[in-house]
Amino acid sequence: MEEQRKQGLLSVVLPAYNEEGSVPLAAETLCRLLSHAGIRHELIFVDDGSRDRTWAAVQAQAARRPQVRGIRFSRNFGKEAAIFAGLAQAAGDCAAVMDCDLQHPPEKVVDMYRLWQTGYQVIEGVKTSRGKESPLHTLAARSFYAILSRAAGVDMSRASDFKLLDRRAVDVLLAMREKNAFFRALSSWIGFSSTQVEFEVQPRQEGESKWSVRSLVRYALTNIASFSAAPLQLVTLLGAAVFLSSVGLGIHSLWKKLTGQALEGFTTVILLQLLIGSVLMICLGIIGYYIAKIYEEIKDRPRYIVADRCEGQAHEEHSEKDP
């Protein structure tokens, strides 16, 4: 095992969506950095149904560099699906996941690999800063990770998708059958011997962020529902709050009646109906969202559909030699 870790193959998974400018830069930077460090490696680009020439850029890099491989989805399935697809294709003794836009510092991959060689099985990249973002976005992110931290039982306040996993940890993740898998939380939840590497989020080298406010909200809701039952517990809390309010108003109304101060209660009744009706609709919406997710799971559709693949010449020659 020690000898295997000394010479272990590193697979780097890079999800890409409309990143035609970032793919060549990521391939060049990582290949140069890892080769200089003496680390055997392969790069796996996952084109998540891009609408630009991302796939052409991946094919060009695979033709130039034997370490580069690529797969292309039939449509956009999302970043989580791209990560798991890349891990499924990884042939390495360990696998790193990082952003194609190089906002995750490439030099930290070498640090992670060295820690893996010492025996760690999960090396987490944790943020020392979130880079340039609005105060509202920061507040929303902190609230999101606070909920997930309580659900997972681990601190996810500085969590990211930037990780390196041992082969055993990768196999455990791939064996999980849930369709709405949240890689960032699951890779912490599985346990194993773990450590952390701190990094600062870097500015993008090419292009602009593909995350809109709408996609971020959808991403947050999907992953909270897939990994936490907190919203369902909120239904109970809302019910308890309405019950306590009703008891208080009931006591107040009874006191007014007994003291002869009771007045026409039309406004009070309307307000109570609106309050209780609103709470009921919110509760039904939350329960309905979870039922929708259960429906998606039981249909057992694949997480993604691969439309095309490409490999460097070294991989093709190896495949031809295999029986």
Side-chain angles (χ1 to χ4, degrees), residues 177-293:
R177 299 182 58 188
E178 56 194 90
K179 300 299 181 293
N180 292 305
F182 185 25
F183 171 74
R184 193 173 302 187
L186 285 176
S187 55
S188 299
W189 177 84
I190 59 175
F192 292 108
S193 175
S194 63
T195 188
Q196 297 180 341
V197 170
E198 293 186 340
F199 72 96
E200 292 186 4
V201 177
Q202 304 298 305
R204 289 178 61 93
Q205 300 295 317
E206 295 284 344
E208 298 179 353
S209 174
K210 309 307 182 296
W211 291 95
S212 64
V213 174
R214 179 181 178 184
S215 60
L216 284 170
V217 171
R218 185 169 60 247
Y219 178 78
L221 291 176
T222 299
N223 290 319
I224 287 174
S226 68
F227 204 80
S228 171
L232 289 176
Q233 295 169 0
L234 178 62
V235 171
T236 304
L237 293 176
L238 286 172
V242 171
F243 173 75
L244 292 175
S245 300
S246 300
V247 170
L249 287 172
I251 293 174
H252 176 73
S253 300
L254 183 60
W255 171 255
K256 290 286 187 179
K257 180 70 175 178
L258 293 176
T259 58
Q261 302 177 38
L263 299 175
E264 293 289 334
F266 179 77
T267 302
T268 303
V269 171
I270 292 299
L271 290 176
L272 282 175
Q273 287 183 338
L274 290 173
L275 174 63
I276 294 173
S278 299
V279 171
L280 286 175
M281 293 303 292
I282 291 172
C283 294
L284 287 173
I286 293 173
I287 294 171
Y289 189 78
Y290 273 85
I291 292 175
K293 293 301 176 185

